[in-house]
Amino acid sequence: WALMGCHFHRYFRVILLLLLALTLLVLARFLLTDLELVTPLFGGQAKGPPVTNIMFLKTHKTASSTVLNILYRFAETHNLSVALPAGLHVHLGYPRLFLARYVEGVEGVEGVEPQHHFNIMCNHLRFNLPEVQKVMPNNTFYFSILRNPVFQLESSFIYYKTYAPAFLRAPSLDAFLASPRTFYNDSLLKNVYAKNNMWFDFGFDPNAPREEGYVRARIAEVERRFQLVLIAEHLDESLVLLRRRLRWALDDVVAFRINARSARSVTRLAPETRERARSWCALDWRLYEHFNRSLWGQLRAELGPRRLRGEVERLRARRRELATLCLQDGGAPRNRTQIRDPRLRPYQSGKADILGYNLRPGLDNQTLRVCQRLVMPELQYMARLYALQFPEKPRKNIPFLGE
């Protein structure tokens, strides 16, 4: 009996320890929503402080405004400096190649390189690494975003319809792609939106011949400099990976869609039009294909399918929670005329119908600040950060807000 009692107590202790361990795991799951940020045991995420020096190459019509909102919010929350356009400008010299002097606060004297460094750079520019390095620290994390060139071109055609000469002259995207050389003049800088625009944003020649060695060399150049390239069609999966690389909290990368169009201003493309778009933007297509494969290779290697699904669902669940907290109309985006607060009305361009959001009435001050940041259009947010960062300078003028 004494021996049996000894075994019983031993087994009892083992069971108690197992129950205790299980309880701790359950508590950790519910209480530490970002557990992987504090211990590698449960999450496998790299240890270290959050990354705060970041250069985001904001490509055009690629969901980049949503990513910009994420970066602006992080900068404001953590009191980080942002490389903002100088004076009344809203872009960093685009479509000209970027120069350091396009950034507000970079004040060099003759013969001396400017030394002022910023934490975050994320406004539109045409990439020019030597000049970017003049205003960003050596340990900067570089990333960008790409979109299927067929849909990127469709979006550009609508958005820049009244700006790009090639689009202005074409009655439709079908007509443009049926005979692009009829409308496209590569000597006009405003036509950068009409062919291989993402390739152009990376600083390359959009009219270069599709010579295999050249294309491979340029893609390798992007791969060497940019630690991550997001894919717009898989934005949530991309944000999961970005969050891991930056070691950020979940709320830091949760975002609503910014600068999105209404369904009525999206053109449905016939299969032959899609094929023509792929051929016309062949350099963009090669770039997109490569980094789409690269993204999924990294996701499989770092997370695996099961864990990736869980992380994506966490991101989406948190977005739904914030939509319920912040947004009226069931969270549905609204066109400009339906947005009550004029400060939250997005800029309208070309033939696009750009949507925004209405906030729920009666929010307390702290919640209101969080929600306003989540839905603030990019021009208004840029003007806000500029006023905070350079209070002594005249404020940026956003003319359409007075309409």
Side-chain angles (χ1 to χ4, degrees):
W1 287 105
L3 184 60
M4 287 179 64
C6 181
H7 284 306
F8 175 78
H9 286 300
R10 187 188 309 162
Y11 293 142
F12 184 70
R13 283 197 300 271
V14 170
I15 291 170
L16 278 178
L17 287 171
L18 287 172
L19 287 172
L20 179 60
L22 183 60
T23 301
L24 288 172
L25 282 170
V26 171
L27 285 172
R29 170 67 181 84
F30 287 101
L31 297 178
L32 295 175
T33 58
D34 287 316
L35 193 60
E36 67 271 20
L37 293 173
V38 295
T39 172
L41 177 61
F42 295 101
Q45 182 150 331
K47 293 183 289 185
V51 175
T52 55
N53 293 329
I54 299 161
M55 191 278 165
F56 171 57
L57 178 58
K58 188 180 187 295
T59 50
H60 289 76
K61 315 317 301 170
T62 57
S64 62
S65 294
T66 300
V67 180
L68 179 103
N69 176 268
I70 289 171
L71 295 169
Y72 275 174
R73 281 166 28 217
F74 189 84
E76 185 176 9
T77 301
H78 297 276
N79 197 30
L80 302 176
S81 60
V82 181
L84 296 168
L88 299 179
H89 298 286
V90 297
H91 299 320
L92 292 168
Y94 195 88
R96 297 181 298 276
L97 273 172
F98 172 76
L99 297 175
R101 62 182 174 85
Y102 297 151
V103 175
E104 188 68 79
V106 174
E107 298 166 344
V109 296
E110 188 172 349
V112 179
E113 294 292 337
Q115 297 296 316
H116 191 87
H117 282 175
F118 295 84
N119 296 115
I120 291 177
M121 171 180 275
C122 54
N123 284 74
H124 279 307
L125 59 81
R126 189 178 184 207
F127 193 65
N128 183 7
L129 180 61
E131 291 290 313
V132 169
Q133 289 175 323
K134 291 179 181 179
V135 295
M136 296 303 292
N138 292 333
N139 65 343
T140 294
F141 179 92
Y142 288 77
F143 79 105
S144 188
I145 188 168
L146 297 172
R147 182 183 183 185
N148 184 316
V150 174
F151 305 115
Q152 192 273 344
L153 183 65
E154 182 276 327
S155 182
S156 290
F157 185 85
I158 299 297
Y159 197 84
Y160 298 108
K161 183 71 176 76
T162 58
Y163 180 81
F167 294 157
L168 186 62
R169 296 174 55 214
S172 68
L173 184 57
D174 280 330
F176 173 79
L177 287 170
S179 182
R181 291 293 175 187
T182 303
F183 308 102
Y184 179 77
N185 181 344
D186 61 15
S187 68
L188 300 177
L189 197 54
K190 286 185 176 182
N191 276 337
V192 298
Y193 305 102
K195 186 180 184 183
N196 294 312
N197 185 218
M198 296 181 289
W199 189 265
F200 178 87
D201 287 348
F202 277 90
F204 307 140
D205 179 3
N207 300 295
R210 290 178 271 175
E211 195 275 318
E212 186 65 20
Y214 166 78
V215 174
R216 287 178 179 269
R218 298 292 78 74
I219 289 174
E221 193 175 320
V222 175
E223 202 150 43
R224 281 193 300 271
R225 171 47 52 189
F226 290 82
Q227 288 99 313
L228 182 62
V229 176
L230 315 183
I231 297 296
E233 285 76 16
H234 310 292
L235 185 58
D236 287 345
E237 292 85 354
S238 295
L239 292 176
V240 165
L241 193 55
L242 178 68
R243 176 182 172 237
R244 287 174 58 83
R245 298 289 173 82
L246 298 181
R247 300 187 292 272
W248 284 8
L250 179 62
D251 274 12
D252 292 331
V253 298
V254 174
F256 303 142
R257 290 180 67 197
I258 302 294
N259 213 35
R261 291 178 293 158
S262 67
R264 69 180 180 84
S265 62
V266 177
T267 306
R268 295 176 64 90
L269 302 178
E272 59 269 23
T273 301
R274 295 186 184 198
E275 189 54 46
R276 286 169 177 163
R278 277 192 289 269
S279 177
W280 177 245
C281 295
L283 297 173
D284 272 359
W285 183 253
R286 288 292 302 276
L287 197 65
Y288 173 79
E289 275 195 315
H290 177 88
F291 285 102
N292 187 34
R293 286 195 302 269
S294 174
L295 173 73
W296 285 101
Q298 292 171 77
L299 287 168
R300 283 191 294 270
E302 295 187 30
L303 288 160
R306 184 175 179 180
R307 187 170 173 207
L308 175 60
R309 284 194 299 271
E311 290 295 309
V312 168
E313 181 48 40
R314 285 183 66 204
L315 180 70
R316 291 173 178 170
R318 183 57 178 151
R319 184 186 296 130
R320 290 192 293 269
E321 289 175 2
L322 287 170
T324 301
L325 175 70
C326 293
L327 304 181
Q328 204 171 31
D329 311 315
R334 296 298 179 187
N335 67 43
R336 184 183 182 279
T337 62
Q338 297 172 314
I339 299 171
R340 294 187 307 273
D341 186 344
R343 297 168 300 175
L344 298 181
R345 291 172 185 161
Y347 174 68
Q348 306 294 311
S349 177
K351 300 296 183 181
D353 177 25
I354 305 300
L355 304 176
Y357 299 92
N358 282 320
L359 296 180
R360 288 177 56 224
L363 298 173
D364 64 79
N365 289 338
Q366 183 176 354
T367 303
L368 180 62
R369 282 194 296 272
V370 170
C371 295
Q372 283 176 332
R373 292 175 184 179
L374 280 163
V375 303
M376 192 174 295
E378 61 180 284
L379 290 179
Q380 289 92 311
Y381 213 150
M382 179 199 60
R384 170 181 171 77
L385 292 181
Y386 186 89
L388 291 172
Q389 201 163 297
F390 305 103
E392 74 285 356
K393 294 185 178 291
R395 298 200 169 192
K396 287 189 182 288
N397 183 32
I398 311 293
F400 70 89
L401 291 180
E403 296 174 2

